[in-house]
Amino acid sequence: MNRIYFDNAATTPLDPEVLATMLPYMQAQFGNPSSIYSYGRETRLAIENARKTVAKILGCKPGEIFFTSGGTESNNTAIAASIRDLGCTHIITSPIEHHAVLHTVEHYGKTGNVTTSFVKLNNDGEVDYNDLEQQLQQTAQKCLVTLMHANNEIGVLLDIKRVGELCKKYDAIFHSDCVQTVGHYLINLSELHVHFISAAGHKFHGPKGTGILYVNESIRIKPFIFGGGQERNLRAGTENVYGIVGFAKALEIATANQAIDKEYIGNLKIYMRAKLEKAIPGVSFHCSNVETLYTVLSACFPKTSRSEFLLMSLDINGICASGGSACSSGADQGSHVIQALNKGDDFVTVRFSFSKYNTTDEIDAAVHKLKDLI
Ligand SMILES: Cc1ncc(COP(=O)(O)O)c(C=O)c1O
């Protein structure tokens, strides 16, 4: 059975060109970047070139890019460092952040040293910017604002520029989880007032276990991992050379093809939405009144005895999609994001998320199957 993969917000397949760039660093160029002889110098150069590539694409300085193991580590580091090193004693976040942010905020909230609050959201999951400003205005504490650039389940986008300006006005630290937007949108950090952003390579056809934390040069944070002083003393440990090289290559390809991919993938989303509306009575979509990620279509199917098992039935039929966030255990505990929208529970949410490798034929086949299953 040919499988259809519509879960690209969970992870994407590695681009063969990225793999080709990584392979030499798994074989002939295996040196430890800290070694002073030629093998080491080669891999050191590869890492620093990767850093320059990433920095140029994101509009920042190479010294502001730190390679990490992915979105989760970057989010944890930004939040923990804001409290420990930057004096933040209050955190403003939203109830629809990824667990890598929410559980971290919850953890530090419980230690008693920081207070936390949620910003209000409208019915489409958009941040209420007036509420954010009011919260910033009313607190005398040093604030960390951590809000995601795009939500991984429903695709709702944040006006990152506007939030950056608010944070600047009230002297707050701003972190944005950009895991779903780096590699999909052109981000120019030189135009944004953001202190930290997080990204992960596997969301744009790069390798898993790779990511970056951008740290604006105006702030200084201390290490969490001590040892050999790698990553300019922030994150010790021999570098994941092929992962870093792969991350930069994937970002380079994604950026070069961004306009074409955006149009192609965006059209797949429009196509699937129209097909579903025609084939399945009662189908609706989350966040249909606002702009959302062009990669994500979050559909609500009427709840029936059959549709309750929709994801399982799709899987049996070789169609891979997701109910909520695929980043957690796979056990269906209900999505905190859908719950936060307060829409009740008389529907079944399925997230379809697309990549440049998907086709309209796959959509035709999936909609045909969905019609059968519902
Ligand atoms: C918005 C968002 N943040 C963070 C993460 C975690 O990233 P990683 O899997 O690289 O740790 C994910 C998904 O995996 C995500 O979608």
Side-chain angles (χ1 to χ4, degrees):
M1 177 168 59
N2 269 344
R3 285 182 294 179
I4 296 176
Y5 186 74
F6 282 158
D7 203 15
N8 292 279
T11 196
T12 53
L14 195 68
D15 187 313
E17 215 184 317
V18 174
L19 177 63
T21 307
M22 293 168 69
L23 278 175
Y25 296 96
M26 295 178 181
Q27 296 168 323
Q29 289 170 277
F30 61 85
N32 186 323
S34 297
S35 300
I36 54 164
Y37 44 77
S38 60
Y39 276 111
R41 291 197 304 273
E42 278 164 21
T43 46
R44 166 66 49 216
L45 187 66
I47 291 175
E48 295 317 320
N49 282 341
R51 201 185 310 279
K52 279 186 203 153
T53 301
V54 172
K56 190 162 180 223
I57 289 172
L58 296 178
C60 65
K61 294 184 179 156
E64 295 175 308
I65 297 294
F66 294 87
F67 290 110
T68 67
S69 67
T72 301
E73 182 189 325
S74 298
N75 287 342
N76 271 261
T77 305
I79 295 164
S82 298
I83 300 164
R84 190 192 61 181
D85 306 329
L86 304 175
C88 296
T89 56
H90 183 71
I91 306 177
I92 303 175
T93 187
S94 88
I96 62 169
E97 298 300 302
H98 189 274
H99 282 146
V101 165
L102 271 186
H103 287 169
T104 310
V105 170
E106 235 169 68
H107 169 78
Y108 290 108
K110 278 186 195 150
T111 64
N113 299 329
V114 289
T115 50
T116 64
S117 61
F118 285 139
V119 69
K120 280 188 197 151
L121 303 175
N122 69 16
N123 291 341
D124 286 309
E126 274 183 330
V127 163
D128 178 336
Y129 300 100
N130 293 328
D131 181 58
L132 176 62
E133 174 150 22
Q134 243 174 31
Q135 291 200 31
L136 284 166
Q137 214 166 29
Q138 282 166 4
T139 174
Q141 292 165 273
K142 175 85 176 174
C143 287
L144 163 67
V145 172
T146 172
L147 291 171
M148 64 203 316
H149 194 194
N151 183 275
N152 48 302
E153 294 190 33
I154 52 177
V156 65
L157 291 157
L158 180 79
D159 187 340
I160 190 171
K161 193 157 203 267
R162 184 167 175 186
V163 173
E165 274 152 19
L166 283 176
C167 289
K168 188 175 176 215
K169 185 170 167 193
Y170 295 98
D171 195 27
I173 296 292
F174 179 29
H175 163 248
S176 188
D177 175 343
C178 295
V179 166
Q180 292 292 340
T181 51
V182 167
H184 298 286
Y185 289 80
L186 302 178
I187 294 174
N188 185 350
L189 290 167
S190 73
E191 293 173 353
L192 303 175
H193 296 289
V194 61
H195 295 94
F196 297 103
I197 73 159
S198 310
H202 69 114
K203 305 292 187 183
F204 49 91
H205 307 289
K208 291 172 186 53
T210 67
I212 55 151
L213 176 65
Y214 158 80
V215 184
N216 185 277
E217 64 179 354
S218 65
I219 52 175
R220 286 276 172 276
I221 66 169
K222 296 192 189 111
F224 287 94
I225 299 177
F226 301 91
Q230 286 90 346
E231 288 302 284
R232 291 179 320 296
N233 224 11
L234 190 69
R235 183 179 186 265
T238 301
E239 296 89 338
N240 172 9
V241 181
Y242 40 82
I244 289 170
V245 166
F247 181 99
K249 184 68 184 175
L251 187 60
E252 221 179 342
I253 296 171
T255 305
N257 302 330
Q258 195 266 349
I260 298 167
D261 289 348
K262 183 176 182 209
E263 177 159 1
Y264 178 76
I265 298 166
N267 282 334
L268 289 178
K269 171 175 166 170
I270 293 167
Y271 183 79
M272 183 152 193
R273 185 181 163 141
K275 279 244 144 188
L276 283 174
E277 276 172 338
K278 213 165 159 197
I280 297 168
V283 70
S284 65
F285 302 90
H286 289 301
C287 310
S288 48
N289 304 312
V290 295
E291 193 197 341
T292 51
L293 283 172
Y294 61 87
T295 45
V296 169
L297 179 64
S298 183
C300 315
F301 297 101
K303 207 177 223 175
T304 65
S305 55
R306 298 186 78 191
S307 71
E308 283 210 71
F309 303 101
L310 197 52
L311 278 180
M312 226 190 313
S313 312
L314 284 171
D315 179 32
I316 291 165
N317 287 281
I319 298 164
C320 309
S322 170
S325 174
C327 308
S328 111
S329 65
D332 188 9
Q333 297 174 332
S335 151
H336 67 285
V337 177
I338 307 299
Q339 269 170 31
L341 296 181
N342 284 323
K343 281 181 158 184
D345 63 352
D346 57 345
F347 56 84
V348 174
T349 297
V350 181
R351 176 188 71 181
F352 302 97
S353 51
F354 311 102
S355 83
K356 59 185 179 180
Y357 297 128
N358 290 125
T359 64
T360 50
D361 284 351
E362 288 179 322
I363 292 175
D364 290 343
V367 173
H368 186 74
K369 197 35 87 182
L370 274 160
K371 197 175 171 185
D372 261 11
L373 294 172
I374 294 173

